[in-house]
């Protein structure tokens, strides 16, 4: 099947999962994860109506999406992989959102680099809920501090939009569900405590997005089902 056909099928399944979970139609956004796939594959998805993409590696994202932009196509790009401080300068130039902010020093660097170019960027704070994953804030108090700093407008070029997580890579659906419900509950608590609107919950990938949608995901990150096996 082509990228366009795969994309149509994935969108149909996401909409069906919304309906099953009694969610508002079209309330879940799809991030098409294009890591290790070519600019031509991304352009095929853009031509089929997909605008939002996710990349793990900044260097690959800059190379690929600069090419796509030069070829006259517009897009919305999220950085979804672990981000090193020395890559922030390039990341903020090409992305509209960094979903994988997992430490306060990273917020400071993002603010510094965005201030230099006069850009405001969306961020999500990644919280560790899956046993096998190493990414994300692991200390709830540290996460609270990050949210408080954002609420106090310590970073004027950063808009905190919500939280992100990766569930455990397991067949245990209850363990997966706990990851997602934990993130939703945490978001609700933080929102109430700090008086912030935190509308986004980025959670759920190819293997577990229906569970994520039933637990309140607003963004799901799907790659292989759209673009095929990684090149």
């Amino acid at each position: 099947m082509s990228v366009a056909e795969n994309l149509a099928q994935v969108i149909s399944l996401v909409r069906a999962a919304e309906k099953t979970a009694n969610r508002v139609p079209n309330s879940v956004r799809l991030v098409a994860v294009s890591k290790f796939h070519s600019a031509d594959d991304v352009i095929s998805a853009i031509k089929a109506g997909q605008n939002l993409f996710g990349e793990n590696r900044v260097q690959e994202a800059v190379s690929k999406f600069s090419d796509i932009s030069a070829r006259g196509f517009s897009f919305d790009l999220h950085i979804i992989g672990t981000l090193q401080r020395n890559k922030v300068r390039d990341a903020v130039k090409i992305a509209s959102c960094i979903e994988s902010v997992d430490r306060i020093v990273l917020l400071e660097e993002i603010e510094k680099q965005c201030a230099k170019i006069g850009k405001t960027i969306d961020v999500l704070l990644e919280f560790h809920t899956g046993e096998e994953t190493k990414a994300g804030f692991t200390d709830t108090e540290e996460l609270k501090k990050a949210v408080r700093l954002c609420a106090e407008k310590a970073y004027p070029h950063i808009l905190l939009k919500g939280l992100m997580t990766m569930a455990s890579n397991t067949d245990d659906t209850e363990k997966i569900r706990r990851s997602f419900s934990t993130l939703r509950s945490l978001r609700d608590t933080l929102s109430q405590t700090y008086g912030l609107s935190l509308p986004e919950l980025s959670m759920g990938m190819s293997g577990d997005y229906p569970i994520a949608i039933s637990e309140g995901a607003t963004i799901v990150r799907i790659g292989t089902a759209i673009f095929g096996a990684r090149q």
Side-chain angles (χ1 to χ4, degrees):
M1 286 171 70
S2 67
V3 168
E5 289 168 325
N6 289 341
L7 178 65
Q9 187 173 55
V10 167
I11 290 171
S12 176
L13 291 169
V14 168
R15 298 298 167 237
E18 281 179 341
K19 189 173 182 180
T20 299
N22 294 316
R23 296 284 302 277
V24 174
N26 303 311
S27 59
V28 179
R29 289 192 293 157
L30 170 65
V31 170
V33 180
S34 47
K35 64 179 179 180
F36 304 135
H37 294 282
S38 69
D40 287 339
D41 286 339
V42 173
I43 288 169
S44 293
I46 292 172
K47 287 179 175 177
Q50 179 66 19
N51 179 254
L52 178 54
F53 298 90
E55 286 280 337
N56 289 59
R57 299 179 179 187
V58 174
Q59 207 166 347
E60 180 188 350
V62 169
S63 171
K64 186 188 304 177
F65 282 87
S66 296
D67 176 27
I68 292 165
S69 181
R71 288 157 73 176
F73 294 95
S74 60
F75 52 82
D76 192 3
L77 180 65
H78 288 195
I79 299 297
I80 60 173
T82 302
L83 182 59
Q84 298 167 324
R85 282 178 71 187
N86 64 352
K87 299 284 196 268
V88 169
R89 184 183 67 174
D90 291 333
V92 300
K93 286 177 182 173
I94 197 157
S96 62
C97 178
I98 298 173
E99 294 197 13
S100 48
V101 176
D102 60 358
R103 54 205 189 280
I104 288 172
V105 292
L106 200 54
L107 282 170
E108 292 167 354
E109 187 65 25
I110 292 167
E111 170 60 30
K112 176 182 166 184
Q113 297 301 335
C114 281
K116 284 181 182 178
I117 60 172
K119 177 176 179 175
T120 301
I121 197 165
D122 293 348
V123 305
L124 305 182
L125 300 179
E126 182 175 4
F127 187 68
H128 176 97
T129 63
E131 291 164 20
E132 289 83 10
T133 64
K134 295 185 175 68
F137 282 91
T138 54
D139 179 2
T140 310
E141 291 307 310
E142 189 76 357
L143 179 72
K144 286 179 182 176
K145 182 180 177 183
V147 175
R148 177 174 57 77
L149 286 165
C150 290
E152 291 171 352
K153 298 190 167 46
Y155 312 115
H157 295 85
I158 289 174
L159 295 175
L160 177 59
K161 292 291 190 177
L163 304 181
M164 182 262 239
T165 200
M166 288 175 63
S168 296
N169 184 14
T170 175
D171 293 329
D172 185 341
T173 56
E174 284 313 305
K175 187 180 283 188
I176 293 168
R177 188 174 294 281
R178 276 197 302 276
S179 281
F180 299 147
S181 63
T182 294
L183 195 76
R184 186 191 69 241
S185 298
L186 188 57
R187 186 276 309 271
D188 293 347
T189 300
L190 292 168
S191 181
Q192 192 169 17
T193 301
Y194 297 102
L196 281 177
S197 171
L198 300 172
E200 302 291 5
L201 286 175
S202 177
M203 55 190 197
M205 301 192 295
S206 290
D208 56 23
Y209 68 86
I211 302 172
I213 289 171
S214 72
E215 291 295 335
T218 63
I219 297 170
V220 293
R221 311 181 302 272
I222 299 175
T224 305
I226 297 169
F227 296 108
R230 294 176 191 170
Q231 296 168 4

